[in-house]
Amino acid sequence: MSDERKLLPTLDPSRLESLRGIEYWRSLEELARTPEFEAMLRRDENAVAAEGFDRRDLLKFAGVSLALAGLSGCTRQPTEKIVPYVRQPEEVVPGGKPLFFATAMTVSGYATGLLVESHSGRPTKIEGNPLHPASRGAADLFAQASLYTLYDPDRSQTLEHLDEIRPWAAFLRAARQAADQEKKNGGAGLRILTETVSSPTLASQLRGLMQAFPGARWIQWEPASADNVREGARLAFGQDVDVVADLDGADVILSLGADFLACGPAHLALTRQFARRRRPETGAMNRLYVVESVSSVTGANADHRLPVPAHALEEIARRIASSLGVGGAAPQGSGSAATADAFAAAAAADLKAHAGKSVVLVGPEQPPAVHAIGYALNHALGNFGRTLRTIEPVAERASNQLAALTELCADMAAGRVSTIVILGGNPVYSAPADLEFGKALARVPSRVHLSLYKDETSAACQWHIPETHYLEAWSDARAYDGTVSIVQPLIAPLYDGRSAHEVVAALSGLPESSAYDVVRGYWRGRMGRDFESAWRSALHDGVVPDTASPEKAVSVVGGIPPAAPAPAREAGALELVFRTDPKVYDGRFANNGWLQELPDPITRTAWDNAVLFSLETAQTLGIEKQDVVALSAGGRTLEAAAWVEPGLPAGVAVLRLGYGRRLGGKVAAGVGFDAYRLRRSDALWAAEGLTVRKTGRTHPIACTQMHQNMEGRDIVRASSLEEYAKGGAKEGGEHGDVAEEQPPSLYAPHPSDTYAWAMAIDLSACVGCNACVVACQAENNIPVVGKDQVRRGREMHWLRIDHYYGGAPANPRHFFQPVPCMHCEDAPCELVCPVGATVHSAEGLNDMVYNRCVGTRYCSNNCPYKVRRFNFYHFSTQFRAPSMRMLANPDVTVRWRGVMEKCTYCVQRINGAKIDSELAGRKVRDGEITPACAQTCPAEAIVFGDLADEGSRVSKLRASKRGYALLAELGTRPRTSYLGAVRNPNPALPDPVTTAFPRTALDDETGQK
């Protein structure tokens, strides 16, 4: 013990847990000082150094290296302590079944209904609420990753005034004094800045505050606002109205820049509706046309895609309208190429042939005129009342958000604002650069900011209030169709956080009101006489019944607005297109390690937002991947790394928002490039006149898939609907039962008299949205490894989604393929493991025994699918932070250094269902077990079940003529099988999807590496 006391002053207290309880092992080995011990000591020092510790840290850890590694070369787990309940709740049994609670997550003002799994009072997993219209049982990657944000130790933890910690009572006194001062002039100097608000309770509070201070102003600002959508509706209908789509009855879909499969308040519901019509066995397939300026998830799933510059998209929309007899003659201009003409004519004819069973969707980034054209097209096709319906606006919309923000900046700069309260958001970072929001804010005498992180806006305010996570506070919110959900907390606030309801209550003179009291008080008079019963029902179901927005009868009054004169364009100048990021959105999720490390669905890059160029543009500029270029637009310059992406239109550069943060957490700071520095108020989504200059430097980009070459193998199989209907052959084998493709084996079969677990993945339904990857990470305690390790090919995801191109580089076809462990019946990994760490279960699972693994990695070398992951370093040390320990799923072990791991088909869920069925005296029913990836999938592309049950869904799918096994020629007999992708191209357009997927990789055609 004396040795330990000598080390105590130099050690971080959080690291002492791994030291206690194993001191005798340490003393014994240090006393022997064997050559093996010395070699192990050097290995541990090198490993620690590789993780980013300096020389001083190495000296601290040298004396306790054996506390980090045992004699076998495997690491001993740190001691974990538990604290029993003083009074155990009746519904909580330690080690028993978790509880599930309904709540909702809000992004940009719109709610998605969720079911949250809770173990002993701590949330551990999120799923979609099948009763909620926006989720329908699915959950996107933002919802899955929100648990990481909940337990993030970088979250703001203290209320501060001028960087000094203050109690809540101090803010209440300051708020009361400010309110008293503002009342003297009717609140003329008071401004409230929020994000988009759909919460009925918060909207009621803010309206009440505006009545108490008649001169005050309430401004809403979202970097990805729906201003263009609203203005387009006003052009078309003459009033505010929301339009809700229903793709169940849509045979033909035209997307004008709408990435409806990956983003937007209704994207989960639309994805589910879209995917159900992509399976040729279930009936008539739909057909999707996409016109876009970027490579999106929706465009990648299109049957026909037309890449055009942002300024030319409106022209294509007018050509389609003209072909349908709407809006007069077709315009003449840059979009008059033969390809664009053919596309417009074919799309228009197809829409006309399916009038009333079609839909035209327009992206929120498009100008109001394009939205008005889309509404006019839907009206002419008779889609309203069938595939579209109009409802009363869902969100509170006091004014145009950009116009209101511009006015606010002018008022602050002129000294007309004395107090500003910013509830959420980060406008210092995300406001248009030309408004110089930060400089104007500095002129306001009293500034308050409520936020999850101490970010750029918090640093510019005197008062910073830590915000509660949505899983920590009561609230309510509305879905895209108006349906209300009560947001109920799953855990008490981890830090001294407050909700927007409490801050507004304090400003309104009700400082003692809690969010629970405020929300219940609002609904008490709106749920009928039996309030308590209705309240409990709303909490249980996750929806408040009969709250959807009523339909609103409107007519198209504006028609198609006249085209604006085209501005002069300099020869050789490029167009810069801005889009939200599919992982960190507008930057609000930038400090989430799960999302930062998640590969982009198209480029497969992580930890950066490189500026994207087409192959043609890159060759013209002499740019290669990872070159640092200087982007200049509107008098501002930004340096960013370049990336070459097939499928982009020539003359366009694409830059995603949400990166280049200075503050907001250790994960977000310094990652990527700040696109907001080039974003102007007059060019929020596209800026012309971009110039690009090479700097001569390079910036390393982490990418998980550097090429798309299938090396002549049938990895992805695809055919057109016409060829599929004929039952034609495909290159590499006939369509048929998976078993028919299996070559004979010298090994004895693995019969099972119980269960034979298997998985089938439908490539025709999978949209590549990445939700399954994050769901797997959350369920199975998969660590974040960082950019450097991803660049070395050491990412830890148990499930990856490979992205393949086919066809011409200028406009290739895209296909996605989720790849988990194949759970081979004749597994190559099992044959080479010298310690029997990877074994075959009686039910066909390829199991990993972590305690046996000594890290030879022979199994990974012998796996043809490359689905096994190895812990090179202590990646799981992220769980050592006190708050992050609560993130781990207690049903799954946390792996340590030197262990191989991989997909287990969520064996913990399998065993849980088996225990329940055995207690009930029956076998597991089909559909009773759903792995995390399948449960969250909005497209329902993943099916899991028992092959021993011939009536199970997975058995039927494996017998489908679309079914095939990946690399079946190797004789591994995988339990994971695929259904080939089927596309539904229009025969009137050239380059339809052929029966056989091209064997030549796009990289081979273009020379790109």
Side-chain angles (χ1 to χ4, degrees):
M1 293 296 292
S2 61
D3 292 340
E4 181 178 331
R5 282 195 297 269
K6 292 178 182 178
L7 290 170
L8 290 180
T10 63
L11 280 173
D12 180 18
S14 64
R15 301 184 183 273
L16 290 180
E17 291 187 23
S18 61
L19 181 63
R20 300 185 188 278
I22 53 176
E23 57 181 303
Y24 299 110
W25 282 92
R26 174 174 59 81
S27 301
L28 178 63
E29 291 304 306
E30 287 185 351
L31 180 64
R33 304 298 291 188
T34 61
E36 291 81 4
F37 172 80
E38 297 290 346
M40 181 179 61
L41 179 62
R42 287 191 294 273
R43 287 197 303 270
D44 286 337
E45 291 176 353
N46 291 337
V48 173
E51 291 182 274
F53 293 97
D54 58 20
R55 192 163 180 260
R56 185 180 299 274
D57 291 319
L58 292 179
L59 294 176
K60 294 179 182 179
F61 281 92
V64 292
S65 61
L66 195 53
L68 305 178
L71 286 176
S72 65
C74 299
T75 304
R76 182 157 181 154
Q77 297 279 6
T79 303
E80 296 180 358
K81 301 176 181 178
I82 61 174
V83 178
Y85 287 105
V86 177
R87 293 180 180 175
Q88 179 177 310
E90 293 182 3
E91 68 275 10
V92 176
V93 178
K97 289 186 176 182
L99 301 177
F100 289 84
F101 298 88
T103 188
M105 177 183 177
T106 302
V107 176
S108 291
Y110 292 90
T112 299
L114 306 174
L115 294 180
V116 184
E117 181 179 355
S118 175
H119 283 88
S120 300
R122 62 183 177 92
T124 57
K125 185 66 173 64
I126 287 177
E127 309 294 354
N129 184 353
L131 300 179
H132 196 275
S135 61
R136 303 194 179 192
D140 60 12
L141 53 92
F142 298 136
Q144 292 289 349
S146 63
L147 279 176
Y148 187 103
T149 302
L150 170 65
Y151 297 119
D152 188 356
D154 287 347
R155 274 179 55 193
S156 178
Q157 302 183 17
T158 57
L159 190 150
E160 297 180 8
H161 178 253
L162 299 177
D163 295 328
E164 293 184 359
I165 299 176
R166 295 295 179 88
W168 174 246
F171 172 74
L172 293 179
R173 288 194 298 270
R176 183 167 57 250
Q177 293 172 1
D180 292 342
Q181 185 66 31
E182 292 295 340
K183 283 183 178 178
K184 296 178 180 179
N185 58 358
L190 176 62
R191 299 293 185 275
I192 307 295
L193 177 59
T194 70
E195 299 173 290
T196 298
V197 173
S198 73
S199 165
T201 300
L202 183 58
S204 176
Q205 284 183 280
L206 289 169
R207 286 194 295 267
L209 186 65
M210 295 301 103
Q211 292 175 0
F213 298 91
R217 297 288 184 273
W218 169 25
I219 302 97
Q220 299 180 65
W221 166 248
E222 291 276 352
S225 71
D227 283 348
N228 289 343
V229 181
R230 180 174 57 257
E231 297 300 330
R234 288 176 178 172
L235 283 175
F237 307 116
Q239 57 183 307
D240 282 344
V241 65
D242 280 359
V243 180
V244 177
D246 182 0
L247 301 186
D248 282 330
D251 294 336
V252 177
I253 305 167
L254 171 63
S255 166
L256 298 175
D259 191 10
F260 64 88
L261 296 179
C263 59
H267 76 277
L268 289 175
L270 294 178
T271 298
R272 180 146 295 186
Q273 295 169 356
F274 173 79
R276 285 176 178 171
R277 298 288 307 276
R278 301 300 288 182
R279 297 173 173 86
E281 300 88 354
T282 59
M285 286 183 64
N286 56 25
R287 180 175 293 147
L288 173 61
Y289 298 87
V290 174
V291 186
E292 62 182 5
S293 306
V294 300
S295 293
S296 69
V297 168
T298 302
N301 286 274
D303 298 298
H304 294 286
R305 173 180 178 270
L306 180 66
V308 297
H311 68 268
L313 194 144
E314 180 180 337
E315 183 181 322
I316 300 300
R318 292 182 181 277
R319 287 184 173 280
I320 296 174
S322 178
S323 298
L324 288 172
V326 180
Q332 299 295 325
S334 58
S336 59
T339 302
D341 286 342
F343 182 95
D350 213 358
L351 289 168
K352 188 175 183 178
H354 294 85
K357 295 183 178 181
S358 58
V359 65
V360 180
L361 303 176
V362 182
E365 303 87 359
Q366 301 307 315
V370 180
H371 286 272
I373 294 172
Y375 294 135
L377 288 173
N378 283 306
H379 176 71
L381 293 167
N383 293 333
F384 285 105
R386 298 177 180 177
T387 58
L388 290 172
R389 58 190 178 93
T390 53
I391 61 174
E392 291 285 347
V394 172
E396 292 289 322
R397 295 171 174 173
S399 62
N400 181 289
Q401 291 190 3
L402 178 60
L405 184 70
T406 303
E407 182 182 357
L408 171 64
C409 290
D411 288 344
M412 292 191 299
R416 291 189 289 268
V417 180
S418 55
T419 301
I420 183 169
V421 180
I422 305 174
L423 302 177
N426 188 8
V428 169
Y429 165 73
S430 64
D434 58 311
L435 297 184
E436 297 184 327
F437 185 92
K439 290 184 178 180
L441 180 65
R443 303 200 61 182
V444 179
S446 179
R447 307 181 294 275
V448 180
H449 187 219
L450 172 75
S451 65
L452 277 174
Y453 295 89
K454 192 170 183 181
D455 53 27
E456 292 83 353
T457 302
S458 300
C461 294
Q462 298 106 328
W463 285 97
H464 165 67
I465 306 173
E467 186 178 13
T468 50
H469 191 271
Y470 78 92
L471 293 174
E472 297 175 325
W474 290 91
S475 187
D476 54 9
R478 305 182 73 185
Y480 72 95
D481 69 341
T483 300
V484 175
S485 293
I486 302 297
V487 180
Q488 63 173 326
L490 272 289
I491 191 172
L494 299 178
Y495 313 114
D496 190 22
R498 304 288 170 173
S499 70
H501 298 291
E502 294 169 290
V503 175
V504 176
L507 296 173
S508 303
L510 301 171
E512 302 302 324
S513 299
S514 67
Y516 177 73
D517 295 332
V518 172
V519 175
R520 276 177 59 93
Y522 176 84
W523 287 103
R524 184 175 294 277
R526 293 169 171 81
M527 284 188 171
R529 294 181 179 178
D530 191 359
F531 168 72
E532 291 298 336
S533 177
W535 175 260
R536 288 194 299 269
S537 177
L539 294 181
H540 177 272
D541 297 342
V543 294
V544 180
D546 302 323
T547 53
S549 293
E551 292 199 22
K552 188 174 184 178
V554 296
S555 59
V556 177
V557 296
I560 292 181
R569 297 183 176 89
E570 299 180 11
L574 304 178
E575 187 176 50
L576 179 61
V577 175
F578 300 102
R579 288 294 183 270
T580 56
D581 188 76
K583 302 183 301 174
V584 303
Y585 193 51
D586 56 7
R588 69 185 65 193
F589 304 115
N591 206 64
N592 193 300
W594 285 354
L595 297 178
Q596 285 282 8
E597 195 155 292
L598 183 69
D600 182 278
I602 304 297
T603 65
R604 312 307 299 161
T605 57
W607 291 101
D608 269 307
N609 63 331
V611 56
L612 306 179
F613 298 95
S614 68
L615 177 63
E616 178 183 344
T617 303
Q619 290 175 341
T620 302
L621 299 174
I623 293 174
E624 297 181 357
K625 289 181 178 179
Q626 305 186 94
D627 283 346
V628 175
V629 296
L631 308 174
S632 298
R636 291 174 172 81
T637 300
L638 172 69
E639 291 188 356
W643 195 259
V644 181
E645 175 61 29
L648 291 179
V652 170
V654 178
L655 191 57
R656 299 285 184 177
L657 304 174
Y659 292 82
R661 300 286 301 277
R662 296 182 294 103
L663 302 171
K666 300 182 183 66
V667 175
V671 175
F673 312 96
D674 185 5
Y676 287 111
R677 290 173 52 187
L678 297 180
R679 200 178 187 221
R680 305 190 311 270
S681 57
D682 61 344
L684 285 181
W685 299 111
E688 297 193 37
L690 173 71
T691 59
V692 179
R693 175 179 54 84
K694 293 181 63 175
T695 65
R697 305 191 311 275
T698 60
H699 176 85
I701 299 291
C703 184
T704 60
Q705 186 181 358
M706 295 303 294
H707 68 88
Q708 288 76 31
N709 198 333
M710 292 190 288
E711 303 293 347
R713 299 167 296 180
D714 286 315
I715 294 178
V716 171
R717 299 183 182 180
S719 70
S720 67
L721 179 61
E722 181 180 0
E723 292 295 331
Y724 175 77
K726 294 178 182 178
K730 62 185 174 186
E731 190 174 356
E734 297 287 334
H735 287 283
D737 192 331
V738 172
E740 296 178 4
E741 295 192 2
Q742 305 289 350
S745 174
L746 296 176
Y747 297 98
H750 297 276
S752 175
D753 56 359
T754 54
Y755 302 101
W757 305 118
M759 179 179 286
I761 303 175
D762 191 344
L763 301 184
S764 191
C766 175
V767 299
C769 67
N770 272 335
C772 56
V773 179
V774 186
C776 176
Q777 189 162 19
E779 173 74 15
N780 295 293
N781 300 334
I782 298 174
V784 175
V785 302
K787 177 179 177 179
D788 178 69
Q789 294 299 304
V790 174
R791 291 189 65 241
R792 296 171 186 266
R794 295 176 178 175
E795 66 273 10
M796 293 298 293
H797 292 133
W798 288 5
L799 169 64
R800 72 175 189 267
I801 300 182
D802 290 339
H803 176 210
Y804 292 100
Y805 298 103
N811 188 17
R813 295 183 295 276
H814 302 252
F815 291 91
F816 300 102
Q817 184 176 44
V819 184
C821 176
M822 298 291 111
H823 289 275
C824 309
E825 294 187 34
D826 296 330
C829 56
E830 297 173 4
L831 304 175
V832 296
C833 181
V835 294
T838 173
V839 295
H840 209 79
S841 77
E843 298 173 354
L845 297 182
N846 179 238
D847 291 333
M848 274 298 306
V849 185
Y850 298 132
N851 284 347
R852 294 180 186 172
C853 182
V854 296
T856 63
R857 290 180 283 161
Y858 295 163
C859 57
S860 180
N861 293 337
N862 222 38
C863 174
Y865 306 101
K866 300 307 173 189
V867 292
R868 305 179 76 87
R869 301 290 183 254
F870 185 69
N871 276 277
F872 282 88
Y873 297 117
H874 293 290
F875 295 138
S876 57
T877 54
Q878 63 188 276
F879 295 109
R880 296 180 68 177
S883 61
M884 294 297 283
R885 292 175 186 171
M886 295 189 287
L887 176 63
N889 182 356
D891 295 331
V892 180
T893 184
V894 176
R895 285 77 56 191
W896 214 240
R897 188 184 66 179
V899 170
M900 186 68 68
E901 56 187 72
K902 63 168 189 65
C903 162
T904 66
Y905 277 167
C906 289
V907 67
Q908 66 278 5
R909 297 191 176 195
I910 295 175
N911 290 334
K914 286 170 58 181
I915 292 172
D916 292 341
S917 65
E918 289 171 4
L919 292 175
R922 58 174 177 80
K923 293 192 68 175
V924 175
R925 301 187 183 98
D926 186 39
E928 197 169 351
I929 301 174
T930 308
C933 56
Q935 185 164 1
T936 200
C937 179
E940 300 176 301
I942 304 174
V943 175
F944 180 82
D946 179 16
L947 278 182
D949 178 6
E950 295 182 357
S952 66
R953 286 187 62 201
V954 71
S955 295
K956 295 177 180 178
L957 290 176
R958 284 176 69 94
S960 168
K961 67 177 183 177
R962 286 197 291 138
Y964 73 99
L966 186 60
L967 303 181
E969 64 272 17
L970 299 181
T972 56
R973 308 182 71 83
R975 284 286 179 86
T976 301
S977 63
Y978 295 90
L979 280 74
V982 177
R983 296 289 171 89
N984 186 18
N986 188 339
L989 286 174
D991 193 25
V993 180
T994 58
T995 302
F997 189 89
R999 295 296 192 92
T1000 304
L1002 183 62
D1003 287 353
D1004 294 339
E1005 298 179 12
T1006 64
Q1008 290 294 307
K1009 300 297 183 185

